[in-house]
Amino acid sequence: MFCSKCGNELEEGSKMCSCCRAKVGEEVITLLDFFDAKDTEYSPEQLPIYLKAAEQGDMNAQYKCGVMYDGVDGIAEDAAAALHWYRKAAEQGHVSSQYNCGLMYDAGEGIPKDKKEALYWYSRAAEQGDADAQFKCGIMYEKGEGTNQDWKEALNWYRKAAAQGHIEAKHCVQEAEARGN
């Protein structure tokens, strides 16, 4: 396992190396561990704790801040803030954040629609094996959204998603095979 902040190797059972724990502060770490262990729904009380860790570069906290600003009861929805935190985590390789960046650019949530940027983020998540992102890449290549239309590339992504059990992707592959593609 590696530190979620700096990437250094961890001792077993730790989520953050001792150097990063010292920077974030034990009080924040204790609360983060508490929230993670409870596996609770997100709540407004958690936001300040996650923000402090997110500002220190913790990609999991950055993702959670994105989720909270993306629509959690008791927290004012703020698409720009959600995208900000998703991007911070996505740039560190957080797969769900990469996918969520793709969704936001694809739909134009709080930002102008940008199909090319959506495909970029979907592709980053898809390359890490995210089946939903692979399916989205397939759709975008099939329709020529954010890229030139490329049925062969679309089918490639549909097959990858289908291999992981993605139902809609399986359907797309079956349709392509019925047409002889």
Side-chain angles (χ1 to χ4, degrees), residues 14-33:
S14 293
K15 292 181 182 176
M16 200 179 287
C17 71
S18 57
C19 180
C20 292
R21 288 179 78 87
K23 288 178 187 173
V24 172
E26 285 302 315
E27 179 183 326
V28 171
I29 296 298
T30 301
L31 288 167
L32 287 172
D33 288 344

mmCIF file of all heavy atoms in Angstrom, residues 14-33:
data_model
loop_
_atom_site.group_PDB
_atom_site.id
_atom_site.type_symbol
_atom_site.label_atom_id
_atom_site.label_comp_id
_atom_site.label_asym_id
_atom_site.label_seq_id
_atom_site.Cartn_x
_atom_site.Cartn_y
_atom_site.Cartn_z
ATOM 1 N N SER A 14 -2.024 1.413 7.615
ATOM 2 C CA SER A 14 -2.011 2.870 7.520
ATOM 3 C C SER A 14 -2.514 3.308 6.160
ATOM 4 O O SER A 14 -2.367 2.593 5.184
ATOM 5 C CB SER A 14 -0.585 3.409 7.709
ATOM 6 O OG SER A 14 -0.143 3.175 9.007
ATOM 7 N N LYS A 15 -3.086 4.514 6.119
ATOM 8 C CA LYS A 15 -3.541 5.091 4.861
ATOM 9 C C LYS A 15 -2.641 6.241 4.434
ATOM 10 O O LYS A 15 -2.688 6.681 3.304
ATOM 11 C CB LYS A 15 -4.975 5.601 4.992
ATOM 12 C CG LYS A 15 -5.988 4.509 5.173
ATOM 13 C CD LYS A 15 -7.376 5.079 5.268
ATOM 14 C CE LYS A 15 -8.380 3.968 5.495
ATOM 15 N NZ LYS A 15 -9.723 4.486 5.685
ATOM 16 N N MET A 16 -1.836 6.738 5.390
ATOM 17 C CA MET A 16 -0.995 7.892 5.120
ATOM 18 C C MET A 16 0.330 7.688 5.858
ATOM 19 O O MET A 16 0.345 7.164 6.968
ATOM 20 C CB MET A 16 -1.717 9.152 5.625
ATOM 21 C CG MET A 16 -1.249 10.439 5.031
ATOM 22 S SD MET A 16 -2.172 11.869 5.660
ATOM 23 C CE MET A 16 -3.747 11.685 4.831
ATOM 24 N N CYS A 17 1.441 8.089 5.234
ATOM 25 C CA CYS A 17 2.750 7.938 5.868
ATOM 26 C C CYS A 17 2.868 8.890 7.064
ATOM 27 O O CYS A 17 2.107 9.849 7.194
ATOM 28 C CB CYS A 17 3.872 8.177 4.854
ATOM 29 S SG CYS A 17 4.057 9.895 4.333
ATOM 30 N N SER A 18 3.830 8.631 7.923
ATOM 31 C CA SER A 18 3.968 9.426 9.151
ATOM 32 C C SER A 18 4.267 10.889 8.847
ATOM 33 O O SER A 18 3.790 11.788 9.546
ATOM 34 C CB SER A 18 5.047 8.829 10.051
ATOM 35 O OG SER A 18 6.277 8.753 9.354
ATOM 36 N N CYS A 19 5.028 11.162 7.796
ATOM 37 C CA CYS A 19 5.340 12.541 7.424
ATOM 38 C C CYS A 19 4.059 13.295 7.043
ATOM 39 O O CYS A 19 3.825 14.415 7.505
ATOM 40 C CB CYS A 19 6.340 12.554 6.261
ATOM 41 S SG CYS A 19 6.793 14.209 5.740
ATOM 42 N N CYS A 20 3.231 12.675 6.216
ATOM 43 C CA CYS A 20 1.981 13.323 5.792
ATOM 44 C C CYS A 20 0.988 13.420 6.940
ATOM 45 O O CYS A 20 0.255 14.403 7.046
ATOM 46 C CB CYS A 20 1.377 12.585 4.608
ATOM 47 S SG CYS A 20 2.380 12.731 3.106
ATOM 48 N N ARG A 21 0.970 12.406 7.812
ATOM 49 C CA ARG A 21 0.083 12.465 8.974
ATOM 50 C C ARG A 21 0.422 13.670 9.831
ATOM 51 O O ARG A 21 -0.465 14.370 10.311
ATOM 52 C CB ARG A 21 0.184 11.185 9.810
ATOM 53 C CG ARG A 21 -0.455 9.981 9.164
ATOM 54 C CD ARG A 21 -0.284 8.735 10.042
ATOM 55 N NE ARG A 21 -1.198 8.722 11.147
ATOM 56 C CZ ARG A 21 -2.435 8.238 11.104
ATOM 57 N NH1 ARG A 21 -2.896 7.741 9.995
ATOM 58 N NH2 ARG A 21 -3.196 8.262 12.165
ATOM 59 N N ALA A 22 1.719 13.946 10.006
ATOM 60 C CA ALA A 22 2.153 15.081 10.816
ATOM 61 C C ALA A 22 1.719 16.401 10.183
ATOM 62 O O ALA A 22 1.309 17.327 10.886
ATOM 63 C CB ALA A 22 3.664 15.049 10.994
ATOM 64 N N LYS A 23 1.766 16.481 8.851
ATOM 65 C CA LYS A 23 1.379 17.712 8.163
ATOM 66 C C LYS A 23 -0.122 17.971 8.288
ATOM 67 O O LYS A 23 -0.548 19.099 8.465
ATOM 68 C CB LYS A 23 1.768 17.650 6.687
ATOM 69 C CG LYS A 23 3.246 17.768 6.456
ATOM 70 C CD LYS A 23 3.557 17.657 4.979
ATOM 71 C CE LYS A 23 5.050 17.602 4.736
ATOM 72 N NZ LYS A 23 5.365 17.322 3.339
ATOM 73 N N VAL A 24 -0.914 16.926 8.136
ATOM 74 C CA VAL A 24 -2.367 17.082 8.194
ATOM 75 C C VAL A 24 -2.830 17.283 9.629
ATOM 76 O O VAL A 24 -3.746 18.047 9.899
ATOM 77 C CB VAL A 24 -3.075 15.862 7.549
ATOM 78 C CG1 VAL A 24 -4.567 15.904 7.773
ATOM 79 C CG2 VAL A 24 -2.765 15.802 6.072
ATOM 80 N N GLY A 25 -2.192 16.599 10.548
ATOM 81 C CA GLY A 25 -2.550 16.726 11.960
ATOM 82 C C GLY A 25 -3.335 15.525 12.437
ATOM 83 O O GLY A 25 -4.213 15.023 11.741
ATOM 84 N N GLU A 26 -3.000 15.069 13.614
ATOM 85 C CA GLU A 26 -3.619 13.857 14.165
ATOM 86 C C GLU A 26 -5.120 14.012 14.386
ATOM 87 O O GLU A 26 -5.875 13.069 14.223
ATOM 88 C CB GLU A 26 -2.924 13.440 15.468
ATOM 89 C CG GLU A 26 -1.576 12.791 15.239
ATOM 90 C CD GLU A 26 -1.638 11.552 14.344
ATOM 91 O OE1 GLU A 26 -2.533 10.688 14.523
ATOM 92 O OE2 GLU A 26 -0.776 11.445 13.452
ATOM 93 N N GLU A 27 -5.580 15.206 14.739
ATOM 94 C CA GLU A 27 -7.012 15.413 14.959
ATOM 95 C C GLU A 27 -7.787 15.150 13.669
ATOM 96 O O GLU A 27 -8.807 14.461 13.671
ATOM 97 C CB GLU A 27 -7.271 16.832 15.442
ATOM 98 C CG GLU A 27 -8.746 17.122 15.668
ATOM 99 C CD GLU A 27 -8.976 18.569 16.081
ATOM 100 O OE1 GLU A 27 -8.137 19.147 16.775
ATOM 101 O OE2 GLU A 27 -10.033 19.086 15.691
ATOM 102 N N VAL A 28 -7.283 15.661 12.557
ATOM 103 C CA VAL A 28 -7.936 15.447 11.264
ATOM 104 C C VAL A 28 -7.859 13.978 10.885
ATOM 105 O O VAL A 28 -8.848 13.391 10.449
ATOM 106 C CB VAL A 28 -7.304 16.334 10.167
ATOM 107 C CG1 VAL A 28 -7.834 15.961 8.791
ATOM 108 C CG2 VAL A 28 -7.576 17.793 10.460
ATOM 109 N N ILE A 29 -6.701 13.351 11.076
ATOM 110 C CA ILE A 29 -6.535 11.931 10.740
ATOM 111 C C ILE A 29 -7.505 11.089 11.552
ATOM 112 O O ILE A 29 -8.162 10.194 11.019
ATOM 113 C CB ILE A 29 -5.086 11.464 10.998
ATOM 114 C CG1 ILE A 29 -4.110 12.207 10.087
ATOM 115 C CG2 ILE A 29 -4.957 9.951 10.829
ATOM 116 C CD1 ILE A 29 -4.328 11.981 8.614
ATOM 117 N N THR A 30 -7.626 11.371 12.834
ATOM 118 C CA THR A 30 -8.541 10.616 13.693
ATOM 119 C C THR A 30 -9.973 10.747 13.186
ATOM 120 O O THR A 30 -10.704 9.752 13.106
ATOM 121 C CB THR A 30 -8.441 11.108 15.151
ATOM 122 O OG1 THR A 30 -7.082 10.943 15.579
ATOM 123 C CG2 THR A 30 -9.366 10.342 16.066
ATOM 124 N N LEU A 31 -10.384 11.955 12.824
ATOM 125 C CA LEU A 31 -11.741 12.150 12.314
ATOM 126 C C LEU A 31 -11.930 11.488 10.950
ATOM 127 O O LEU A 31 -12.971 10.880 10.702
ATOM 128 C CB LEU A 31 -12.073 13.641 12.251
ATOM 129 C CG LEU A 31 -12.297 14.294 13.606
ATOM 130 C CD1 LEU A 31 -12.310 15.807 13.475
ATOM 131 C CD2 LEU A 31 -13.577 13.800 14.250
ATOM 132 N N LEU A 32 -10.917 11.577 10.077
ATOM 133 C CA LEU A 32 -11.015 10.900 8.772
ATOM 134 C C LEU A 32 -11.158 9.399 8.966
ATOM 135 O O LEU A 32 -11.993 8.750 8.334
ATOM 136 C CB LEU A 32 -9.786 11.199 7.908
ATOM 137 C CG LEU A 32 -9.681 12.591 7.318
ATOM 138 C CD1 LEU A 32 -8.321 12.785 6.654
ATOM 139 C CD2 LEU A 32 -10.796 12.850 6.328
ATOM 140 N N ASP A 33 -10.332 8.833 9.850
ATOM 141 C CA ASP A 33 -10.410 7.398 10.135
ATOM 142 C C ASP A 33 -11.778 7.030 10.702
ATOM 143 O O ASP A 33 -12.362 6.017 10.334
ATOM 144 C CB ASP A 33 -9.306 6.971 11.111
ATOM 145 C CG ASP A 33 -7.922 6.975 10.475
ATOM 146 O OD1 ASP A 33 -7.834 7.006 9.228
ATOM 147 O OD2 ASP A 33 -6.939 6.955 11.237
#
